[in-house]
Amino acid sequence: MINQPMDPKNTDQKTLCSMHKMNHHSSLLNINNRNYSTDCKDEQSSMFQLSTLKFNDIETIMIHPKSDDDNNVDDSKPETKYCSSYEHPLNSIKQPSRNIYQNNEISNFRSPIFEIGINSCGIPDPFISSNLKCSNNDNNPPGKSSDLNLFMSDHQNQCQCDMSSSVWDKWSFLSSINSYHANSDCTITTTETIQPVGKSDALAEFVDMFKEKRIQLGITQAEVGRALGALNLSGFGCLSQSTICRFESLSLSHKNMLALKPVLEIWLQQMEGGLWVNQEHHLQESHNCFNRTPTDSTDSFRNFSDSSTNPPVFPPFTPLKDSVENQRRKRTCIMGREKYILESFFNATNCRPTSDQMNQLALRLNMPKSVIRVWFCNQRQKHKRLSKL
DNA sequence: TCTATGCAAATTCAA
DNA sequence: ATTGAATTTGCATAG
Protein backbone atom coordinates (compact mmCIF):
# COMPACT_ATOMS: atom_id res chain seq x y z
CA MET A 1 0.00 0.00 0.00
CA ILE A 2 1.25 3.39 -0.89
CA ASN A 3 0.39 6.69 0.64
CA GLN A 4 -1.07 8.99 -1.92
CA PRO A 5 -2.29 12.52 -1.74
CA MET A 6 -6.00 12.96 -1.90
CA ASP A 7 -7.34 12.91 -5.38
CA PRO A 8 -9.11 16.25 -5.72
CA LYS A 9 -11.46 14.84 -8.29
CA ASN A 10 -12.73 12.44 -5.75
CA THR A 11 -13.49 14.78 -2.93
CA ASP A 12 -17.19 15.00 -3.35
CA GLN A 13 -17.67 11.37 -3.98
CA LYS A 14 -19.42 9.70 -1.16
CA THR A 15 -17.73 6.56 -0.17
CA LEU A 16 -18.87 4.14 2.43
CA CYS A 17 -16.09 2.21 3.97
CA SER A 18 -15.81 -0.41 6.54
CA MET A 19 -12.71 -2.16 7.59
CA HIS A 20 -12.15 -5.53 9.06
CA LYS A 21 -8.98 -6.48 10.70
CA MET A 22 -7.47 -9.67 9.37
CA ASN A 23 -4.22 -9.64 11.22
CA HIS A 24 -1.60 -7.17 12.26
CA HIS A 25 -0.68 -6.15 8.79
CA SER A 26 -3.66 -6.68 6.65
CA SER A 27 -7.31 -5.95 6.62
CA LEU A 28 -10.34 -6.44 4.56
CA LEU A 29 -11.77 -3.22 3.39
CA ASN A 30 -15.29 -2.91 2.15
CA ILE A 31 -15.90 0.05 -0.06
CA ASN A 32 -19.32 0.55 -1.48
CA ASN A 33 -20.01 -3.11 -0.98
CA ARG A 34 -16.88 -4.31 -2.68
CA ASN A 35 -14.24 -6.08 -0.74
CA TYR A 36 -10.57 -5.32 -0.94
CA SER A 37 -7.75 -6.65 1.01
CA THR A 38 -5.09 -4.32 2.16
CA ASP A 39 -1.66 -5.19 3.17
CA CYS A 40 0.91 -3.08 4.81
CA LYS A 41 3.85 -4.71 6.42
CA ASP A 42 5.87 -1.57 6.76
CA GLU A 43 4.84 -0.28 10.13
CA GLN A 44 6.53 3.05 9.68
CA SER A 45 4.45 4.06 6.73
CA SER A 46 1.47 2.07 7.77
CA MET A 47 -1.87 3.61 7.14
CA PHE A 48 -3.09 1.71 10.08
CA GLN A 49 -2.15 1.64 13.64
CA LEU A 50 -1.53 -1.91 14.49
CA SER A 51 -3.99 -2.30 17.26
CA THR A 52 -6.86 -0.12 16.22
CA LEU A 53 -6.49 0.17 12.49
CA LYS A 54 -7.18 3.83 12.68
CA PHE A 55 -6.19 5.62 9.55
CA ASN A 56 -3.33 7.99 9.91
CA ASP A 57 -3.39 11.62 9.01
CA ILE A 58 -2.88 11.14 5.31
CA GLU A 59 -6.43 9.88 5.06
CA THR A 60 -5.93 8.49 1.64
CA ILE A 61 -5.08 5.03 0.68
CA MET A 62 -4.56 3.17 -2.49
CA ILE A 63 -6.12 -0.18 -2.82
CA HIS A 64 -5.26 -3.01 -5.10
CA PRO A 65 -8.40 -4.95 -5.67
CA LYS A 66 -8.07 -8.44 -4.36
CA SER A 67 -9.93 -9.86 -7.31
CA ASP A 68 -6.87 -9.44 -9.43
CA ASP A 69 -4.74 -12.49 -9.51
CA ASP A 70 -1.86 -11.48 -7.33
CA ASN A 71 0.61 -13.11 -9.60
CA ASN A 72 -0.62 -11.44 -12.71
CA VAL A 73 -1.16 -7.90 -11.66
CA ASP A 74 -0.72 -5.52 -14.49
CA ASP A 75 1.75 -3.22 -12.82
CA SER A 76 1.49 -0.60 -15.49
CA LYS A 77 -2.18 -0.07 -14.90
CA PRO A 78 -3.21 -1.23 -11.47
CA GLU A 79 -6.83 -0.59 -10.75
CA THR A 80 -6.80 1.77 -7.85
CA LYS A 81 -9.37 3.60 -5.92
CA TYR A 82 -9.09 6.34 -3.44
CA CYS A 83 -10.89 6.27 -0.25
CA SER A 84 -10.94 8.73 2.52
CA SER A 85 -12.24 7.52 5.75
CA TYR A 86 -11.47 6.62 9.27
CA GLU A 87 -12.22 3.79 11.40
CA HIS A 88 -14.68 5.42 13.66
CA PRO A 89 -15.90 4.76 17.13
CA LEU A 90 -18.56 2.45 15.89
CA ASN A 91 -15.96 -0.16 15.55
CA SER A 92 -15.57 -0.18 19.26
CA ILE A 93 -19.14 0.24 20.23
CA LYS A 94 -19.68 -0.72 23.75
CA GLN A 95 -22.81 -2.68 23.85
CA PRO A 96 -24.36 -5.58 25.54
CA SER A 97 -23.15 -8.50 23.56
CA ARG A 98 -25.27 -11.33 22.32
CA ASN A 99 -28.90 -11.10 21.48
CA ILE A 100 -28.95 -7.37 21.22
CA TYR A 101 -30.08 -7.65 17.65
CA GLN A 102 -33.02 -9.78 18.37
CA ASN A 103 -35.99 -8.58 16.36
CA ASN A 104 -33.56 -6.48 14.42
CA GLU A 105 -33.69 -3.80 16.98
CA ILE A 106 -31.24 -2.25 19.26
CA SER A 107 -32.63 -1.99 22.69
CA ASN A 108 -31.63 -0.10 25.80
CA PHE A 109 -29.24 1.88 23.86
CA ARG A 110 -29.57 5.47 24.68
CA SER A 111 -26.27 6.95 25.52
CA PRO A 112 -25.41 10.52 26.31
CA ILE A 113 -24.93 13.20 23.80
CA PHE A 114 -21.40 13.92 22.86
CA GLU A 115 -19.65 16.84 21.52
CA ILE A 116 -17.23 16.24 18.77
CA GLY A 117 -13.82 17.58 19.42
CA ILE A 118 -12.10 20.06 17.23
CA ASN A 119 -8.73 18.96 16.07
CA SER A 120 -5.63 21.06 15.73
CA CYS A 121 -6.69 22.22 12.29
CA GLY A 122 -10.00 23.40 13.62
CA ILE A 123 -11.87 20.61 11.98
CA PRO A 124 -14.47 18.74 13.98
CA ASP A 125 -13.09 15.35 14.60
CA PRO A 126 -15.27 12.67 16.09
CA PHE A 127 -12.34 10.39 16.25
CA ILE A 128 -10.36 12.12 18.85
CA SER A 129 -11.67 10.28 21.78
CA SER A 130 -10.09 12.55 24.33
CA ASN A 131 -12.08 15.38 22.87
CA LEU A 132 -15.34 13.65 23.24
CA LYS A 133 -17.25 15.07 26.12
CA CYS A 134 -20.45 14.09 27.68
CA SER A 135 -22.71 17.05 27.49
CA ASN A 136 -26.13 16.14 28.65
CA ASN A 137 -26.36 15.05 32.22
CA ASP A 138 -24.53 13.60 35.12
CA ASN A 139 -26.26 10.29 35.10
CA ASN A 140 -24.20 9.16 32.22
CA PRO A 141 -20.66 7.98 32.38
CA PRO A 142 -17.88 10.09 30.94
CA GLY A 143 -17.75 9.94 27.21
CA LYS A 144 -15.44 7.71 25.33
CA SER A 145 -14.95 7.15 21.68
CA SER A 146 -16.90 3.99 22.06
CA ASP A 147 -20.06 5.78 22.97
CA LEU A 148 -22.63 6.27 20.34
CA ASN A 149 -24.74 9.28 20.68
CA LEU A 150 -22.99 11.92 18.73
CA PHE A 151 -23.66 15.50 18.46
CA MET A 152 -21.63 17.43 16.06
CA SER A 153 -21.11 21.11 15.87
CA ASP A 154 -18.90 22.96 13.52
CA HIS A 155 -20.11 26.31 14.80
CA GLN A 156 -22.21 26.76 11.68
CA ASN A 157 -24.10 23.64 11.09
CA GLN A 158 -25.35 21.16 13.50
CA CYS A 159 -26.26 17.69 12.72
CA GLN A 160 -27.41 14.97 14.90
CA CYS A 161 -27.84 11.35 14.34
CA ASP A 162 -31.06 9.86 15.49
CA MET A 163 -29.95 7.50 18.16
CA SER A 164 -33.00 5.37 17.90
CA SER A 165 -31.81 4.30 14.51
CA SER A 166 -29.76 1.21 14.13
CA VAL A 167 -26.02 1.07 14.43
CA TRP A 168 -25.76 0.55 10.72
CA ASP A 169 -27.49 3.80 10.13
CA LYS A 170 -25.18 5.45 12.57
CA TRP A 171 -22.36 4.04 10.59
CA SER A 172 -23.68 5.86 7.56
CA PHE A 173 -24.02 8.97 9.59
CA LEU A 174 -20.45 8.82 10.62
CA SER A 175 -19.46 8.19 7.07
CA SER A 176 -21.04 11.51 6.27
CA ILE A 177 -18.93 13.09 8.92
CA ASN A 178 -15.97 11.41 7.37
CA SER A 179 -16.79 12.95 4.04
CA TYR A 180 -17.08 16.27 5.70
CA HIS A 181 -13.82 15.84 7.39
CA ALA A 182 -12.14 14.85 4.19
CA ASN A 183 -13.45 17.86 2.41
CA SER A 184 -14.57 20.82 4.40
CA ASP A 185 -16.58 22.14 1.48
CA CYS A 186 -18.96 19.30 1.39
CA THR A 187 -22.29 19.50 3.08
CA ILE A 188 -23.10 17.19 5.84
CA THR A 189 -26.36 15.47 5.51
CA THR A 190 -27.73 12.93 7.84
CA THR A 191 -31.19 12.18 6.69
CA GLU A 192 -30.05 10.98 3.33
CA THR A 193 -28.14 8.10 4.66
CA ILE A 194 -30.21 7.27 7.67
CA GLN A 195 -32.76 4.66 6.94
CA PRO A 196 -35.49 3.13 8.99
CA VAL A 197 -34.59 0.51 11.49
CA GLY A 198 -35.48 -3.01 10.69
CA LYS A 199 -35.21 -5.30 7.77
CA SER A 200 -33.52 -2.67 5.69
CA ASP A 201 -30.32 -3.17 7.60
CA ALA A 202 -27.77 -4.32 5.11
CA LEU A 203 -26.18 -6.66 7.57
CA ALA A 204 -29.42 -8.28 8.61
CA GLU A 205 -30.32 -8.64 4.98
CA PHE A 206 -27.05 -10.28 4.18
CA VAL A 207 -27.44 -12.66 7.06
CA ASP A 208 -30.87 -13.72 5.89
CA MET A 209 -29.61 -14.22 2.39
CA PHE A 210 -26.56 -16.07 3.60
CA LYS A 211 -28.55 -18.52 5.64
CA GLU A 212 -31.02 -19.12 2.88
CA LYS A 213 -28.33 -19.81 0.33
CA ARG A 214 -26.34 -21.99 2.67
CA ILE A 215 -29.38 -24.15 3.20
CA GLN A 216 -30.07 -24.16 -0.52
CA LEU A 217 -26.58 -25.39 -1.12
CA GLY A 218 -27.12 -28.10 1.46
CA ILE A 219 -24.16 -27.09 3.52
CA THR A 220 -24.22 -27.22 7.28
CA GLN A 221 -22.97 -24.56 9.64
CA ALA A 222 -20.13 -26.77 10.73
CA GLU A 223 -19.04 -27.26 7.15
CA VAL A 224 -19.11 -23.55 6.47
CA GLY A 225 -16.95 -23.01 9.51
CA ARG A 226 -14.40 -25.50 8.34
CA ALA A 227 -14.46 -24.29 4.76
CA LEU A 228 -13.51 -20.79 5.83
CA GLY A 229 -10.08 -22.00 6.66
CA ALA A 230 -9.59 -23.03 3.06
CA LEU A 231 -10.42 -19.55 1.83
CA ASN A 232 -6.85 -18.73 2.53
CA LEU A 233 -7.57 -15.27 3.84
CA SER A 234 -4.81 -14.08 6.03
CA GLY A 235 -5.94 -13.70 9.59
CA PHE A 236 -8.85 -16.04 9.19
CA GLY A 237 -8.91 -19.71 9.82
CA CYS A 238 -11.77 -22.04 10.50
CA LEU A 239 -14.69 -21.11 12.68
CA SER A 240 -16.84 -23.31 14.81
CA GLN A 241 -20.38 -24.31 14.09
CA SER A 242 -21.33 -22.24 17.12
CA THR A 243 -19.94 -19.12 15.62
CA ILE A 244 -21.64 -19.63 12.29
CA CYS A 245 -24.83 -20.33 14.10
CA ARG A 246 -24.48 -17.13 16.09
CA PHE A 247 -23.70 -15.21 12.95
CA GLU A 248 -26.86 -16.49 11.35
CA SER A 249 -28.92 -15.55 14.36
CA LEU A 250 -27.32 -12.11 14.59
CA SER A 251 -26.22 -12.89 18.08
CA LEU A 252 -22.63 -11.84 17.82
CA SER A 253 -21.56 -8.34 18.66
CA HIS A 254 -21.97 -5.85 15.88
CA LYS A 255 -18.26 -5.47 15.52
CA ASN A 256 -17.91 -9.20 15.34
CA MET A 257 -20.69 -9.45 12.77
CA LEU A 258 -18.94 -6.89 10.63
CA ALA A 259 -15.66 -8.69 10.89
CA LEU A 260 -17.14 -12.00 9.84
CA LYS A 261 -19.42 -10.75 7.14
CA PRO A 262 -16.85 -10.13 4.40
CA VAL A 263 -15.29 -13.50 4.93
CA LEU A 264 -18.58 -15.28 4.71
CA GLU A 265 -19.44 -13.15 1.75
CA ILE A 266 -16.35 -14.30 -0.05
CA TRP A 267 -17.09 -17.88 0.83
CA LEU A 268 -20.61 -17.55 -0.49
CA GLN A 269 -19.47 -15.91 -3.68
CA GLN A 270 -17.09 -18.74 -4.33
CA MET A 271 -19.68 -21.36 -3.55
CA GLU A 272 -22.18 -19.73 -5.85
CA GLY A 273 -19.69 -19.30 -8.60
CA GLY A 274 -18.87 -22.94 -8.09
CA LEU A 275 -15.26 -22.17 -8.50
CA TRP A 276 -12.36 -21.97 -6.26
CA VAL A 277 -9.37 -19.86 -7.06
CA ASN A 278 -6.42 -20.06 -4.81
CA GLN A 279 -5.45 -16.45 -5.03
CA GLU A 280 -2.11 -16.79 -3.46
CA HIS A 281 -0.76 -19.82 -5.26
CA HIS A 282 1.57 -20.92 -2.59
CA LEU A 283 3.90 -23.37 -4.11
CA GLN A 284 5.37 -24.66 -0.94
CA GLU A 285 4.87 -28.16 0.29
CA SER A 286 1.33 -28.98 0.97
CA HIS A 287 0.75 -29.44 4.61
CA ASN A 288 -2.23 -29.89 6.76
CA CYS A 289 -3.25 -26.32 7.25
CA PHE A 290 -5.70 -27.05 9.98
CA ASN A 291 -3.42 -28.95 12.21
CA ARG A 292 -5.90 -31.73 12.41
CA THR A 293 -5.46 -35.39 12.87
CA PRO A 294 -5.96 -37.50 9.78
CA THR A 295 -9.21 -38.85 11.18
CA ASP A 296 -10.46 -35.38 11.74
CA SER A 297 -9.71 -34.17 8.32
CA THR A 298 -11.28 -37.04 6.51
CA ASP A 299 -14.46 -36.49 8.37
CA SER A 300 -14.36 -32.73 8.25
CA PHE A 301 -14.21 -32.52 4.55
CA ARG A 302 -16.23 -35.45 3.47
CA ASN A 303 -18.71 -33.23 1.71
CA PHE A 304 -16.12 -31.34 -0.17
CA SER A 305 -14.34 -34.38 -1.40
CA ASP A 306 -17.38 -36.43 -2.15
CA SER A 307 -18.46 -35.25 -5.54
CA SER A 308 -21.31 -37.70 -5.75
CA THR A 309 -23.34 -35.79 -3.19
CA ASN A 310 -22.02 -32.32 -3.71
CA PRO A 311 -20.45 -30.56 -6.62
CA PRO A 312 -16.71 -30.41 -6.27
CA VAL A 313 -15.98 -27.12 -4.70
CA PHE A 314 -12.48 -26.72 -3.56
CA PRO A 315 -9.76 -28.94 -2.29
CA PRO A 316 -9.89 -29.86 1.34
CA PHE A 317 -6.44 -28.65 2.05
CA THR A 318 -5.00 -25.59 0.51
CA PRO A 319 -1.36 -24.96 1.08
CA LEU A 320 -1.45 -22.02 3.36
CA LYS A 321 1.54 -20.09 4.51
CA ASP A 322 0.19 -18.63 7.66
CA SER A 323 -2.40 -21.23 8.41
CA VAL A 324 -0.99 -22.12 11.77
CA GLU A 325 -1.07 -18.58 13.02
CA ASN A 326 -4.62 -18.26 11.78
CA GLN A 327 -5.60 -21.09 13.99
CA ARG A 328 -7.00 -20.18 17.33
CA ARG A 329 -5.50 -22.26 20.03
CA LYS A 330 -7.61 -25.29 20.80
CA ARG A 331 -9.86 -24.78 23.73
CA THR A 332 -8.60 -26.68 26.71
CA CYS A 333 -11.11 -28.47 28.78
CA ILE A 334 -10.23 -28.14 32.41
CA MET A 335 -12.19 -30.42 34.65
CA GLY A 336 -11.98 -33.08 37.30
CA ARG A 337 -8.78 -33.20 39.28
CA GLU A 338 -7.14 -30.31 37.47
CA LYS A 339 -10.08 -28.03 38.01
CA TYR A 340 -10.34 -29.04 41.64
CA ILE A 341 -6.70 -28.32 42.28
CA LEU A 342 -6.82 -24.97 40.51
CA GLU A 343 -9.94 -23.92 42.35
CA SER A 344 -8.53 -25.00 45.69
CA PHE A 345 -5.43 -23.00 45.01
CA PHE A 346 -7.45 -20.02 43.92
CA ASN A 347 -9.80 -20.07 46.88
CA ALA A 348 -7.53 -21.14 49.67
CA THR A 349 -4.10 -19.96 48.74
CA ASN A 350 -3.83 -17.29 46.20
CA CYS A 351 -5.96 -15.93 43.41
CA ARG A 352 -2.90 -14.22 42.03
CA PRO A 353 -0.14 -16.77 41.92
CA THR A 354 3.42 -15.79 41.19
CA SER A 355 5.19 -16.94 38.11
CA ASP A 356 6.92 -19.62 40.13
CA GLN A 357 3.71 -20.84 41.60
CA MET A 358 2.23 -21.08 38.15
CA ASN A 359 5.23 -23.02 36.97
CA GLN A 360 4.75 -25.46 39.81
CA LEU A 361 1.07 -25.84 39.09
CA ALA A 362 1.81 -26.36 35.43
CA LEU A 363 4.25 -29.09 36.31
CA ARG A 364 1.97 -30.71 38.79
CA LEU A 365 -1.03 -30.67 36.48
CA ASN A 366 0.96 -31.37 33.37
CA MET A 367 -0.50 -28.36 31.60
CA PRO A 368 1.15 -25.46 29.80
CA LYS A 369 1.86 -22.52 32.02
CA SER A 370 0.00 -20.24 29.62
CA VAL A 371 -3.16 -22.23 30.19
CA ILE A 372 -2.72 -21.88 33.93
CA ARG A 373 -2.16 -18.16 33.62
CA VAL A 374 -5.23 -17.65 31.47
CA TRP A 375 -7.27 -19.77 33.82
CA PHE A 376 -6.38 -17.53 36.75
CA CYS A 377 -7.12 -14.43 34.71
CA ASN A 378 -10.50 -15.74 33.72
CA GLN A 379 -11.19 -16.96 37.22
CA ARG A 380 -10.50 -13.53 38.65
CA GLN A 381 -12.80 -12.05 36.07
CA LYS A 382 -15.49 -14.50 36.90
CA HIS A 383 -15.24 -13.78 40.60
CA LYS A 384 -15.38 -10.07 40.06
CA ARG A 385 -18.40 -10.50 37.85
CA LEU A 386 -20.20 -12.70 40.32
CA SER A 387 -19.45 -10.47 43.26
CA LYS A 388 -21.12 -7.59 41.48
CA LEU A 389 -24.39 -9.46 41.25
C1' DT B 1 -28.03 -35.26 12.18
C1' DC B 2 -28.15 -30.50 12.60
C1' DT B 3 -28.69 -26.29 15.25
C1' DA B 4 -28.87 -23.53 19.58
C1' DT B 5 -26.88 -22.23 23.90
C1' DG B 6 -24.28 -22.01 28.62
C1' DC B 7 -20.04 -21.61 30.14
C1' DA B 8 -15.50 -20.46 30.01
C1' DA B 9 -10.90 -20.67 27.40
C1' DA B 10 -8.39 -17.79 24.46
C1' DT B 11 -7.47 -13.43 22.40
C1' DT B 12 -7.17 -8.50 22.17
C1' DC B 13 -6.39 -4.04 23.87
C1' DA B 14 -4.84 -0.60 26.81
C1' DA B 15 -2.73 0.69 31.02
C1' DA C 1 6.35 -8.37 30.48
C1' DT C 2 2.06 -8.44 33.16
C1' DT C 3 -2.64 -7.42 34.23
C1' DG C 4 -7.76 -6.31 34.04
C1' DA C 5 -11.42 -5.75 31.20
C1' DA C 6 -13.69 -6.60 27.17
C1' DT C 7 -14.50 -9.50 23.61
C1' DT C 8 -14.34 -13.50 20.57
C1' DT C 9 -14.84 -18.12 20.08
C1' DG C 10 -15.00 -23.31 20.88
C1' DC C 11 -16.53 -27.35 23.54
C1' DA C 12 -20.10 -29.93 25.36
C1' DT C 13 -24.52 -30.83 25.31
C1' DA C 14 -29.40 -29.68 25.16
C1' DG C 15 -33.11 -29.14 21.96
Side-chain angles (χ1 to χ4, degrees):
Chain A
M1 187 183 306
I2 304 159
N3 296 352
Q4 292 280 323
M6 190 72 184
D7 178 352
K9 289 192 288 291
N10 264 6
T11 47
D12 52 358
Q13 179 184 318
K14 228 175 207 171
T15 311
L16 292 181
C17 297
S18 64
M19 185 145 58
H20 312 279
K21 181 178 174 184
M22 305 298 284
N23 62 24
H24 281 328
H25 55 69
S26 70
S27 344
L28 260 192
L29 196 58
N30 182 293
I31 302 171
N32 292 337
N33 292 323
R34 247 195 108 179
N35 285 322
Y36 302 89
S37 85
T38 63
D39 201 350
C40 187
K41 295 188 168 96
D42 177 4
E43 292 180 24
Q44 284 305 91
S45 64
S46 175
M47 297 302 298
F48 310 109
Q49 289 171 12
L50 290 187
S51 56
T52 62
L53 291 177
K54 283 173 187 157
F55 285 18
N56 74 6
D57 291 333
I58 310 262
E59 302 179 18
T60 308
I61 56 173
M62 191 167 85
I63 302 126
H64 294 271
K66 187 65 179 173
S67 54
D68 286 352
D69 183 329
D70 282 356
N71 289 341
N72 294 309
V73 172
D74 180 2
D75 286 334
S76 61
K77 250 174 62 184
E79 188 195 342
T80 58
K81 289 180 192 276
Y82 293 94
C83 165
S84 178
S85 181
Y86 289 91
E87 187 204 35
H88 50 60
L90 280 182
N91 234 10
S92 50
I93 292 168
K94 192 174 175 184
Q95 59 182 328
S97 57
R98 293 179 191 161
N99 301 326
I100 186 171
Y101 298 114
Q102 270 176 359
N103 308 320
N104 290 316
E105 280 176 11
I106 310 292
S107 51
N108 302 321
F109 215 82
R110 287 211 159 263
S111 39
I113 293 203
F114 286 88
E115 199 173 286
I116 307 296
I118 307 292
N119 71 13
S120 55
C121 305
I123 297 174
D125 187 348
F127 309 101
I128 302 174
S129 57
S130 58
N131 284 347
L132 286 174
K133 290 180 298 194
C134 180
S135 67
N136 63 343
N137 65 57
D138 295 325
N139 296 329
N140 290 305
K144 292 187 302 184
S145 63
S146 56
D147 290 296
L148 271 180
N149 206 353
L150 297 173
F151 175 77
M152 182 176 165
S153 163
D154 66 356
H155 310 300
Q156 298 291 321
N157 304 307
Q158 288 191 338
C159 70
Q160 190 166 9
C161 181
D162 176 10
M163 284 304 118
S164 61
S165 62
S166 73
V167 283
W168 299 291
D169 299 329
K170 292 174 190 116
W171 175 286
S172 301
F173 168 74
L174 284 174
S175 294
S176 305
I177 299 179
N178 284 341
S179 302
Y180 171 80
H181 190 183
N183 172 16
S184 53
D185 292 325
C186 93
T187 309
I188 306 168
T189 54
T190 57
T191 49
E192 263 179 44
T193 51
I194 293 176
Q195 291 170 4
V197 187
K199 280 284 179 187
S200 62
D201 281 329
L203 186 48
E205 246 174 41
F206 172 77
V207 167
D208 281 352
M209 186 265 287
F210 175 86
K211 185 170 183 179
E212 193 185 315
K213 293 200 169 158
R214 174 185 68 76
I215 292 168
Q216 255 173 29
L217 288 161
I219 296 168
T220 66
Q221 294 172 343
E223 284 160 353
V224 171
R226 288 190 293 259
L228 293 183
L231 280 180
N232 212 0
L233 294 169
S234 65
F236 263 92
C238 302
L239 287 176
S240 64
Q241 174 264 328
S242 313
T243 303
I244 304 299
C245 175
R246 286 175 181 132
F247 181 85
E248 287 187 350
S249 59
L250 290 163
S251 54
L252 299 169
S253 73
H254 177 250
K255 183 182 170 191
N256 203 189
M257 293 291 296
L258 285 179
L260 264 35
K261 184 191 167 207
V263 183
L264 291 167
E265 209 163 21
I266 289 169
W267 173 81
L268 189 59
Q269 277 163 13
Q270 294 190 348
M271 290 304 290
E272 288 197 299
L275 53 92
W276 165 246
V277 182
N278 181 356
Q279 295 168 350
E280 307 205 4
H281 295 291
H282 294 305
L283 295 173
Q284 59 191 256
E285 280 290 305
S286 178
H287 62 281
N288 184 335
C289 67
F290 301 105
N291 212 12
R292 293 172 189 284
T293 62
T295 327
D296 266 350
S297 43
T298 313
D299 177 60
S300 300
F301 286 94
R302 69 199 144 74
N303 278 4
F304 294 116
S305 49
D306 182 2
S307 55
S308 65
T309 52
N310 279 307
V313 180
F314 42 76
F317 299 113
T318 310
L320 184 54
K321 185 173 53 187
D322 47 2
S323 55
V324 175
E325 66 213 48
N326 290 345
Q327 185 80 22
R328 194 184 172 93
R329 198 194 307 171
K330 277 272 180 195
R331 187 187 164 108
T332 313
C333 206
I334 301 172
M335 49 207 296
R337 169 180 168 267
E338 286 78 11
K339 186 169 185 179
Y340 177 78
I341 291 174
L342 287 171
E343 280 178 343
S344 308
F345 192 94
F346 186 93
N347 294 327
T349 320
N350 190 356
C351 70
R352 207 183 297 266
T354 64
S355 184
D356 270 353
Q357 286 174 317
M358 282 195 276
N359 278 329
Q360 284 173 19
L361 279 168
L363 207 63
R364 182 173 164 202
L365 301 179
N366 192 26
M367 295 166 104
K369 185 185 176 187
S370 57
V371 172
I372 305 282
R373 189 175 49 75
V374 168
W375 185 87
F376 275 95
C377 276
N378 285 321
Q379 195 69 5
R380 285 194 294 270
Q381 275 193 67
K382 183 179 161 185
H383 270 242
K384 188 166 269 185
R385 201 169 51 239
L386 290 177
S387 67
K388 279 181 188 166
L389 295 178

